[in-house]
């Protein structure tokens, strides 16, 4: 059974949560979605969310390719997930893209106002510090990621 809880109370007065799903939204269990969130899943995109995940108020998710969020995740206030640049820039020495999909492992905690961009992989058990900008593939589980750009700043983190 799938459960989607949309916050209806006056948490912060920002208005209703908006879901615009033209592609696929797969809920693999219970999802609590805070007031004022905006989720836009494009026509060919797939967004998958694991069981017992919570997305706090005013988070924006704009997915045109793919987003997988594992189970038991906590995504804090005003985060942003974008898997598309919506433009193309050419310059000498530009590295090829590793792909657009965003993958968030199981039991990941993402702090307030974190931006997560295309091609990002955050492994199981990681914590992302507030206001970080995350882009790239991280491989170390149970790490604290922080900064702009985010990098591993602590290892063997538990939450």
């Amino acid at each position: 059974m799938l459960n989607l809880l949309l916050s209806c109370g006056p948490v912060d007065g920002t208005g209703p949560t908006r879901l615009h799903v033209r592609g696929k939204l797969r809920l693999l269990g219970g999802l609590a979605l805070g007031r004022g969130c905006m989720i836009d899943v494009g026509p060919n995109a797939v967004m998958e969310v694991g069981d017992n995940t919570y997305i706090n108020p005013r988070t924006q998710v704009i997915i045109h390719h793919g987003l997988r969020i594992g189970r038991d995740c906590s995504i804090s206030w005003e985060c942003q997930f974008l898997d598309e640049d919506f433009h193309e820039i050419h310059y000498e020495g530009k590295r090829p893209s590793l792909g657009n999909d965003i993958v968030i492992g199981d039991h990941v905690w993402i702090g307030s106002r974190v931006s997560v961009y295309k091609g990002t992989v955050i492994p199981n058990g990681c914590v992302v510090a507030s206001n970080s900008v995350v882009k790239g593939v991280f491989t170390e589980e149970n790490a604290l990621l922080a900064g702009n750009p985010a990098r591993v700043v602590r290892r063997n983190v538990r939450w």
Side-chain angles (χ1 to χ4, degrees):
M1 180 173 184
L2 298 178
N3 297 311
L4 175 62
L5 172 64
L6 297 175
S7 174
C8 298
V11 174
D12 60 2
T14 62
T17 292
R18 291 181 173 87
L19 296 174
H20 188 214
V21 180
R22 294 161 289 152
K24 293 181 182 173
L25 174 60
R26 293 185 185 131
L27 302 179
L28 305 178
L31 167 65
L33 191 58
R35 186 178 177 98
C37 288
M38 192 273 293
I39 295 178
D40 184 357
V41 180
N44 299 311
V46 176
M47 178 177 169
E48 182 177 287
V49 183
D51 187 31
N52 196 36
T53 288
Y54 187 80
I55 300 175
N56 275 283
R58 296 193 308 254
T59 288
Q60 296 182 356
V61 178
I62 301 170
I63 300 301
H64 283 256
H65 302 279
L67 169 63
R68 182 195 176 278
I69 300 173
R71 60 181 152 56
D72 300 317
C73 291
S74 181
I75 298 170
S76 196
W77 295 67
E78 298 178 349
C79 291
Q80 180 182 55
F81 294 82
L82 294 170
D83 73 346
E84 178 60 51
D85 291 333
F86 303 103
H87 62 270
E88 192 169 330
I89 297 174
H90 302 279
Y91 55 88
E92 188 176 319
K94 181 179 178 185
R95 290 182 265 164
S97 174
L98 297 175
N100 287 46
D101 289 5
I102 297 170
V103 179
I104 311 297
D106 295 332
H107 197 65
V108 171
W109 179 5
I110 298 178
S112 298
R113 291 176 292 286
V114 169
S115 295
V116 180
Y117 294 113
K118 72 178 189 175
T120 294
V121 175
I122 301 174
N124 297 337
C126 286
V127 176
V128 182
S130 293
N131 296 303
S132 294
V133 176
V134 188
K135 184 173 181 180
V137 176
F138 293 87
T139 58
E140 193 169 341
E141 293 187 357
N142 303 309
L144 173 61
L145 310 176
N148 180 3
R151 61 184 175 82
V152 174
V153 296
R154 297 281 185 273
R155 291 173 169 76
N156 300 315
V157 172
R158 303 272 186 252
W159 68 277

